Amino acid sequence: MTSAIEKFINKVGKAVGIRYDWQKAEIRAIYDTPFLELIYQAATVHRQYHNPKQIQVCKLISIKTGACPEDCSYCAQSSRYKTEVKPQALLDKQTVANIAQEAKNSGVSRVCMGAAWREARDNSQFDQVLDMVKEVTALGLEVCCTLGMLTENQAKQLEAAGLYAYNHNLDTSPEYYSTIITTRTYSDRLDTINNVRQTNVTVCSGGILGLGENVEDRVSMLHTLANLHPHPESVPINILSKVQGTPLENQPDVPIWDVVRMIATARLIMPASDVRLSAGRARLSQVEQALCFLAGANSIFSSDNGHMLTVTTPCPGYDADKEMLNLLGLEMRPSFVGREKATTEVVV
Ligand code: SAM
Ligand code: SF4
């Protein structure tokens, strides 16, 4: 019988099409492919859909920090855990625009504005976020927001303000979700993604490795993402940043081999999507990151202040990242490259 990966091997060289009918067993077979073969296949498919010289560098701005009512077991910002994070009210538009401009000057082409909210509310704070989206978009940057749950109407208002992407991670499998978060459900998550899909705002959705999940959970999460139609244009693969004070503070490290397998599998089953090597990158060596790029990761988050979202999530700095990209012969991708992708996909 021909295995899933053998079917891929037969297709590679022709152009692997985009599918939305993935079976868990097929995804598992890809995830379990001998390591070097898996990377080779992923690198080959990556070159069919993306410019392999380009990496998109993104900057996360925490526009509202901490005091979140949700109980996500990994998160430094949940009010239920005693962490080092100091709550901070919504930043003003000018502060956000200044950080975004500075990031742009350093080669960043996408800015993600994150708020520690359960959901966006129809209030003056949401209006302020709409203003920030307008202001930062006017700088020529791709703007992504991650504000928690969103109604269709709120998604439409963000679209009208010029929003490019909305992030809403699934984090883990539907089966494991309630072990990690009890204050909302998996279908709440999918509902928000569906609300964003009623607009032209692109979807950013991925997950976290290292929550105590097993390989079946990883496959199940990828299965959910890869059967969304269309696929999320952006798929962040986070590695748990272990935060003192949270229930997951003592989780074992995720082996690099698992990180690379996850990236390669995401690349093969969602070939046109950007795969972002996100939280947890600070603990990877340059060589390990190079392996991730070879396996199809084409984006990183970088920062001027040494942390990604809050003080508890470390992130490499702009200069160190520029040095790494130079070393690897890679360049920073400008904003809005591939905007047309979602509508030009090949369906097999
Ligand atoms: N409150 C919003 C929400 O949950 O959708 C947005 C902010 S939340 C910080 C955005 C994402 O960051 C989460 O979905 C999760 O995937 C990721 N994240 C948060 N803390 C993390 C950690 N300690 N390690 C890895 N990823 C983390
Ligand atoms: Fe709140 Fe988001 Fe953190 Fe969950 S991940 S506790 S929703 S900020």
Side-chain angles (χ1 to χ4, degrees), residues 1 117 204 216 243 254 320:
M1 203 181 103
W117 287 333
C204 173
E216 285 306 314
V243 179
V254 181

Side-chain angles (χ1 to χ4, degrees), residues 91-98 128 130-133 135-136:
L91 296 180
D92 64 78
K93 184 173 72 175
Q94 200 48 52
T95 305
V96 173
N98 291 347
Q128 287 176 60
L130 294 174
D131 276 350
M132 284 176 205
V133 171
E135 187 90 11
V136 179

Side-chain angles (χ1 to χ4, degrees), residues 15 104 114-115 129 148 209 213 222 225 277 298 309 343:
K104 186 184 177 189
V129 174
L209 295 173
E213 75 288 348
L222 288 174
L225 291 169
L277 177 56
N298 61 344
L309 191 60
T343 50

Side-chain angles (χ1 to χ4, degrees), residues 239 254 256-257 259-260 277 280-293 300 316 320-321 324 327-328:
I239 307 163
V254 181
I256 182 66
W257 312 112
V259 176
V260 175
L277 177 56
R281 187 171 65 89
R283 77 164 172 83
L284 302 186
S285 68
Q286 289 183 333
V287 175
E288 288 171 333
Q289 292 179 62
L291 215 46
C292 294
F293 299 143
I300 54 174
D321 281 334
M324 176 181 68
L327 191 69
L328 299 175

Side-chain angles (χ1 to χ4, degrees), residues 145-208:
C145 276
T146 181
L147 314 171
M149 292 183 267
L150 213 62
T151 63
E152 187 179 328
N153 184 261
Q154 289 165 339
K156 288 193 167 142
Q157 290 180 68
L158 286 163
E159 177 187 34
L163 189 72
Y164 186 72
Y166 194 79
N167 165 269
H168 206 59
N169 291 332
L170 293 179
D171 284 345
T172 188
S173 65
E175 298 78 17
Y176 195 58
Y177 199 73
S178 61
T179 314
I180 299 300
I181 299 152
T182 68
T183 49
R184 56 168 188 260
T185 63
Y186 214 68
S187 55
D188 288 333
R189 258 357 225 183
L190 292 169
D191 285 350
T192 290
I193 292 173
N194 188 41
N195 288 339
V196 176
R197 277 294 179 221
Q198 307 311 308
T199 71
N200 285 318
V201 174
T202 59
V203 169
C204 173
S205 187
I208 311 179

Side-chain angles (χ1 to χ4, degrees), residues 60 68 70 72 74-77 113-119 145-149 166-171 181 184 189 206-209 211 236 238-243 246 278-280 308-310 312-313:
L60 250 170
C68 181
E70 301 278 68
C72 313
Y74 49 78
C75 188
Q77 304 199 72
M113 309 195 305
W117 287 333
R118 171 180 165 73
E119 73 256 304
C145 276
T146 181
L147 314 171
M149 292 183 267
Y166 194 79
N167 165 269
H168 206 59
N169 291 332
L170 293 179
D171 284 345
I181 299 152
R184 56 168 188 260
R189 258 357 225 183
I208 311 179
L209 295 173
L211 303 174
N238 292 298
I239 307 163
L240 176 70
S241 264
K242 289 177 254 183
V243 179
T246 62
S278 309
M308 190 162 153
L309 191 60
T310 65
T312 54
T313 43

